Amino acid sequence: MIAQQVITLLLIGYLIYLIDSKRNYFPVPVILVLIGIGLSYIAFFDSVFISKDMIFEVFLPALLFTSAYQFKYKNLKDNIGIITMLSTVGLVLTAILMGYGTFWISEFFTPLSLTASFLLASILIPTDPVSVTAILKKSKGEKRITDVVEGESMVNDGTSVVIFTIFLGMFMTGERFSTLSFMTEFLIVSAGGIVIGFIFGFLLKRLIIVSFKKHELVMLTIVIAYGSFYLADAFEVSGVLATVTAGMMLSHELGTKKNYETVKHHLDGFWDIVIPMLLALLFLLIGIEATSYLSTSLWMFSIILFLLSILSRFIVVGGLVYIVPVWRKEFQDDLTATSLLTSSGIKGTMSIALVLWLEAEQIDGSSEMISLAFAVILFSLVLQSIFVYPLTTYLTNKHDE
């Protein structure tokens, strides 16, 4: 990309954020993706593209770190059980349901192997809070559900990468699935990322004590956000969990020390400018990139997979909530919470990063999987975002009656 293209995309993004003030039924990311699809037909943007490396190395560290440090530690503490369960066990169970369902459904369209089906499922299971948390807040829905959705999406990004890499390795080498190997790699990669994130987070907390100048604090958080991610990646552990852990440790520090209000004000002042710019550029690029992969011959298959993803999440969320008495009492009433948690599981940045990762590997037989994944992600971004607000309003009003 050239500077003129980047500046033009940022200008478009700024105008959309400026104009779209309500963001109830159609949040900004969805509008940006649709505009990006339209821009892909303009010659000026022919050379514009987005890759897996760009998402992982440029966009994700900043987005994840900011989400983590701005997520109140009290909200994490109050919901740590259900957030952890949904983002680990829940994600694995969803992948299993999606994988077997995809394998069975593919027999009626384009047959996929079981490994390919699970690989496709691993792309479609992570959730993205960007498109939905603002909707939940504006609809005056359950605050705790908003907290759970936001917290789950931060942690399950790391889980989904581990699951994806395991199935990608199986797909490339033809290896058979091993539960022991899966659990061993999952624990090593996850624990390694958390440890590195803890180290960076601890250093950040200590350095904040001696760094109260605005520019020093901002530079410090940039180094921590990207440094923890890159170092974890170098050690082949989860960079996502490293960055999220460092951000959560900062959230804990800012939330427990009243004299850090000025610190948080300085940090928010910087990141609240940078993040909308990154999101605008990211979602416009997603729309531009997706266009070339949208195949009309796969639309029906994609729609069914989209519905399968919703059904799989509903079954898993409802099941996990039901088996824990405390959660059953708090979340199971009239299935309102389960329905909201299900509808809020919109696919986004991480799913795009994983499908571009698959594209970068240039594996024979993966083109249809890439097209299917892009189509399902777009359906999720657009359709789920449209219906989250009215569904949330209806269910919460019904619950209050």
Side-chain angles (χ1 to χ4, degrees):
M1 287 185 290
I2 58 176
Q4 292 92 326
Q5 293 170 325
V6 173
I7 295 299
T8 302
L9 291 175
L10 287 175
L11 176 60
I12 293 172
Y14 169 75
L15 293 175
I16 296 301
Y17 271 100
L18 187 65
I19 295 171
D20 189 42
S21 58
K22 290 188 70 175
R23 280 178 278 180
N24 286 342
Y25 294 92
F26 231 52
V28 165
V30 178
I31 299 175
L32 292 172
V33 168
L34 295 177
I35 290 176
I37 292 175
L39 293 178
S40 67
Y41 295 99
I42 300 176
F44 178 70
F45 297 100
D46 284 347
S47 60
V48 171
F49 70 96
I50 188 169
S51 66
K52 164 240 181 181
D53 290 337
M54 289 172 61
I55 294 182
F56 276 97
E57 296 177 8
V58 178
F59 293 98
L60 275 183
L63 296 175
L64 291 169
F65 181 80
T66 307
S67 296
Y69 100 77
Q70 291 184 343
F71 188 66
K72 292 182 179 179
Y73 177 75
K74 182 180 183 300
N75 295 340
L76 176 64
K77 184 179 178 181
D78 291 344
N79 300 287
I80 187 65
I82 191 168
I83 286 174
T84 302
M85 183 66 76
L86 289 177
S87 58
T88 54
V89 175
L91 208 66
V92 172
L93 293 176
T94 305
I96 292 173
L97 287 179
M98 274 288 294
Y100 280 114
T102 300
F103 176 69
W104 180 76
I105 292 170
S106 70
E107 296 296 323
F108 298 92
F109 297 95
T110 303
L112 297 174
S113 67
L114 186 60
T115 303
S117 299
F118 273 99
L119 179 59
L120 182 57
S122 69
I123 294 173
L124 300 175
I125 54 175
T127 58
D128 191 333
V130 173
S131 302
V132 74
T133 50
I135 306 174
L136 291 173
K137 292 174 183 176
K138 282 180 174 290
S139 64
K140 298 179 181 180
E142 295 283 347
K143 178 184 180 300
R144 191 171 182 189
I145 293 177
T146 306
D147 295 336
V148 171
V149 170
E150 194 168 1
E152 177 204 356
S153 63
M154 288 189 299
V155 182
N156 77 17
D157 279 350
T159 309
S160 63
V161 172
V162 178
I163 296 174
F164 172 82
T165 54
I166 292 172
F167 285 119
L168 178 63
M170 292 169 56
F171 185 68
M172 295 175 65
T173 62
E175 294 180 7
R176 299 187 64 179
F177 179 78
S178 168
T179 303
L180 180 60
S181 297
F182 175 85
M183 293 304 299
T184 301
E185 184 171 354
F186 178 80
L187 291 174
I188 292 174
V189 172
S190 300
I194 292 172
V195 168
I196 290 177
F198 180 84
I199 294 172
F200 272 82
F202 178 79
L203 290 173
L204 176 59
K205 290 170 65 174
R206 305 314 302 169
L207 290 172
I208 281 180
I209 296 175
V210 297
S211 300
F212 279 101
K213 292 183 180 179
K214 182 177 179 180
H215 67 278
E216 292 176 347
L217 290 171
V218 170
M219 290 173 62
L220 184 59
T221 55
I222 293 174
V223 171
I224 295 297
Y226 285 87
S228 58
F229 193 99
Y230 293 159
L231 184 63
D233 187 59
F235 281 99
E236 298 185 348
V237 294
S238 177
V240 173
L241 289 177
T243 301
V244 168
T245 301
M248 286 182 173
M249 291 187 67
L250 176 58
S251 172
H252 174 263
E253 185 74 4
L254 297 178
T256 55
K257 304 287 180 63
K258 291 184 179 180
N259 59 324
Y260 281 165
E261 291 181 2
T262 303
V263 174
K264 189 174 188 305
H265 176 73
H266 287 333
L267 295 180
D268 288 347
F270 171 77
W271 288 110
D272 286 348
I273 294 174
V274 173
I275 294 303
M277 294 172 60
L278 290 177
L279 287 175
L281 192 58
L282 174 62
F283 283 102
L284 285 169
L285 290 173
I286 287 173
I288 293 172
E289 186 72 21
T291 307
S292 60
Y293 290 100
L294 299 181
S295 172
T296 55
S297 63
L298 297 173
W299 280 120
M300 184 56 66
F301 193 0
S302 303
I303 292 172
I304 295 175
L305 287 183
F306 166 62
L307 296 175
L308 174 64
S309 69
I310 295 177
L311 177 62
S312 299
R313 180 171 169 82
F314 182 83
I315 292 172
V316 170
V317 171
L320 291 177
V321 167
Y322 184 79
I323 63 174
V324 180
V326 176
W327 299 343
R328 183 166 67 245
K329 183 179 180 181
E330 296 179 355
F331 293 104
Q332 191 69 16
D333 186 29
D334 296 329
L335 292 178
T336 298
T338 301
S339 300
L340 293 179
L341 287 170
T342 300
S343 61
S344 301
I346 296 175
K347 294 93 178 68
T349 305
M350 183 54 70
S351 290
I352 292 293
L354 295 179
V355 73
L356 291 175
W357 188 340
L358 177 59
E359 177 197 33
E361 298 296 335
Q362 298 182 340
I363 308 170
D364 291 339
S366 63
S367 59
E368 289 186 342
M369 294 169 58
I370 295 171
S371 296
L372 284 169
F374 265 117
V376 174
I377 294 167
L378 289 178
F379 279 131
S380 177
L381 270 172
V382 177
L383 297 181
Q384 280 184 260
S385 295
I386 292 175
F387 289 108
V388 163
Y389 181 81
L391 177 64
T392 304
T393 304
Y394 170 76
L395 289 175
T396 50
N397 289 340
K398 182 179 178 181
H399 184 267
D400 293 336
E401 291 178 357

